[in-house]
Every structure is written in C-alpha cells, then in structure tokens.
Amino acid sequence: MNTFLTYEEIVSKCEKLNDIYEIEEDKFYRIVENWSDRDVSTDSKLLATYKELLQVVSNEVESMEQAVEMSPTCRLGCAFCCYFPIIINGMEAKLIKEAISHFPKSREEGIKQHLANYYDKYSDEIEQITRLDFENDPDFKYKYKKSNIPCPMLNTETNQCMAYELRPIPCRTYVNYTNPKICEEEVMPKETISYEFLYSEYMGALNEFLQFLYEEGDTSFIEYPNDVYEEDYLANWLKELVIIEK
Ligand code: SF4
C-alpha cells in the first residue's frame, strides 16, 4: 500500500507550516554569544561556531517536520541530490577545509586521495559545468544536474558523503517526503522541499561572529569580509584544496 504523501498533501503541509511556525532566530545568535568570549583559540571558536550553526539548521528542519507531521523519505545510500550544484562562499569553503584538516589523519588523507582521483576523472566536465552562470542563468541548476556529475564529496561506491557532518546548507535543506523514486526519475522533481530560507539566519549569525572577531583584530584564516562575498561552486573550492596540497 502506498503510504507516501502526495504532492497536494505536501503543498498543504507547507502552507500550514507557513501559518504556524516561527523560526527561533535566538537559537542561532546564542551560539555566537556563547563562543565569543570563550578562552580558546580563534580557530577553535570559528570551527565550533560553524559546526553548531550547521547543526541548528538541521535541528530546525526537524522541528518544522514535527510541527506538520512530515517524515523525510530520503534513504541512506540514496544520493540523487548530490548531483545538484552546491554554491558556497569563500568563508564556508575555508571552514570546511579547516575542519577537514582537523579530521583524524587517515580520514583526511582518504578525502584528499578521493578528491585527487575525482579531479583526474572529471576535470573537463567540471570545467565545463562550473562555467554555468549561477547568478544570472535561471536554468543553471537543471543544466548542472542534467550533466550527472557527482559532488566531489560523494563516494559513488557507497553513495555516502565523505564529510557528512560538514555538508553545507543546500545539502541539509533539500528533502523529499514522497516516493523516493521521483529523485531517480526526474532531474528536478517538483515534490521536493527546500528549507534554504534558513540560510539567512545561519549566515546572519556567522557573519555577526566574524564581525565580532574582526573588531577584536583576529579573524584567523578567514579574510573578512571579502571571503563572505565570494561565491563559487563547491566543485571549484575543493579543486583549489587539492591543487594547493599537491
Ligand atoms: S557535500 Fe555531501 S551531502 Fe552535500 S552534495 Fe556533496 S556529497 Fe552530497
């Protein structure tokens, strides 16, 4: 028996969510307050704040699902959404790279080796698809996804993310509540939901934290505010990491 929500049911639940749910902005800013005055290095503060803010986004998605009784049908090992373009700014890219450098050595080396193989295999395709103008081309997502090039962080043998706890906002906020088959059958299924609006609370808090550090005179490996304004494909940011480390 089919127990998946229909498209109409999903739309109706989203409308209800709009009416009843209020995002608790304070949750984001409390993390900034909490880490601002801690007696630890700036690097530690940055990484901890970043990871906690990412987690708040995931928790907020879960709270919204509970509020309207929806459960994701995304399954472990299902990775069709990992073929979408992921756009992040320079600050997020540096935070991801820094966090990877704090992984246990074997995990860090595994990721670097995976990335080296990835760029050997897909360098031409990446060069081509990252020419898509994500700021001005309204179809860039469709065109990118249609090219069927996996995210650099996707292990295509296990279909799992190699840095799952660091996955950026688009990866955390794209959810399917109906038959998972739609993700296999369609390039951009209309039934899926994006909670990407949570980006503004997340980035607002992260930006406030960097502003605080900037005023204190130490933003460590972040070049503030320039890194916040520079956006690019994750596939380009991670390529830089491999080239630099080679
Ligand atoms: S970062 Fe991870 S979760 Fe996000 S698209 Fe890439 S492989 Fe998938």
Side-chain angles (χ1 to χ4, degrees):
M1 195 178 71
N2 181 5
T3 54
F4 298 120
L5 293 176
T6 63
Y7 175 62
E8 289 70 27
E9 285 168 333
I10 293 169
V11 170
S12 149
K13 280 181 184 281
C14 288
E15 284 167 359
K16 185 175 171 199
L17 195 59
N18 265 342
D19 291 341
I20 64 166
Y21 198 86
E22 215 167 302
I23 298 165
E24 213 192 306
E25 254 190 281
D26 281 0
K27 279 187 195 164
F28 293 82
Y29 290 95
R30 272 200 296 271
I31 291 169
V32 173
E33 269 170 43
N34 187 24
W35 281 100
S36 297
D37 298 326
R38 291 272 186 101
D39 191 16
V40 292
S41 70
T42 305
D43 287 17
S44 304
K45 286 184 190 183
L46 276 166
L47 287 182
T49 305
Y50 175 59
K51 286 183 195 165
E52 287 185 22
L53 285 171
L54 287 175
Q55 192 53 49
V56 173
V57 170
S58 295
N59 295 348
E60 201 60 22
V61 171
E62 266 182 50
S63 301
M64 285 188 244
E65 288 167 342
Q66 280 162 15
V68 288
E69 296 175 335
M70 285 203 289
S71 303
T73 53
C74 307
R75 300 169 300 198
L76 190 69
C78 164
F80 293 105
C81 55
C82 296
Y83 290 72
F84 271 109
I86 303 295
I87 314 286
I88 58 172
N89 67 32
M91 172 168 68
E92 293 172 292
K94 284 183 178 174
L95 285 161
I96 290 173
K97 290 177 203 170
E98 183 68 17
I100 289 173
S101 78
H102 287 261
F103 280 170
K105 265 285 156 266
S106 61
R107 188 175 176 199
E108 182 194 356
E109 288 308 323
I111 290 176
K112 284 184 178 166
Q113 189 54 54
H114 164 86
L115 289 174
N117 297 341
Y118 175 88
Y119 289 111
D120 272 353
K121 183 172 177 183
Y122 293 115
S123 65
D124 293 347
E125 289 90 340
I126 295 294
E127 204 189 315
Q128 209 172 342
I129 53 175
T130 57
R131 275 196 221 130
L132 286 166
D133 183 350
F134 59 83
E135 279 172 344
N136 299 303
D137 180 351
D139 293 327
F140 86 94
K141 275 191 189 171
Y142 180 86
K143 291 174 188 166
Y144 191 110
K145 175 103 186 301
K146 193 123 190 2
S147 67
N148 212 31
I149 304 300
C151 169
M153 277 300 179
L154 182 68
N155 177 335
T156 50
E157 278 167 25
T158 60
N159 266 350
Q160 285 178 24
C161 177
M162 298 191 76
Y164 188 73
E165 66 271 49
L166 304 175
R167 70 199 187 287
I169 301 303
C171 317
R172 289 166 191 266
T173 52
Y174 182 85
V175 192
N176 184 11
Y177 297 102
T178 188
N179 192 333
K181 267 195 113 35
I182 58 156
C183 295
E184 186 180 346
E185 290 165 357
E186 289 167 49
V187 180
M188 288 182 66
K190 68 178 188 314
E191 294 86 349
T192 53
I193 301 294
S194 171
Y195 297 90
E196 221 170 335
F197 50 85
L198 290 167
Y199 184 83
S200 61
E201 279 79 12
Y202 149 86
M203 189 48 72
L206 202 48
N207 190 47
E208 185 172 292
F209 187 54
L210 262 299
Q211 220 166 330
F212 164 80
L213 294 177
Y214 181 74
E215 281 159 19
E216 296 278 298
D218 176 17
T219 55
S220 185
F221 55 88
I222 304 290
E223 202 185 307
Y224 186 79
N226 297 359
D227 286 339
V228 179
Y229 297 125
E230 199 187 342
E231 292 195 312
D232 203 348
Y233 291 96
L234 181 65
N236 275 342
W237 291 120
L238 295 182
K239 181 166 57 180
E240 249 172 50
L241 176 80
V242 173
I243 292 165
I244 290 164
E245 295 294 332
K246 259 183 178 175

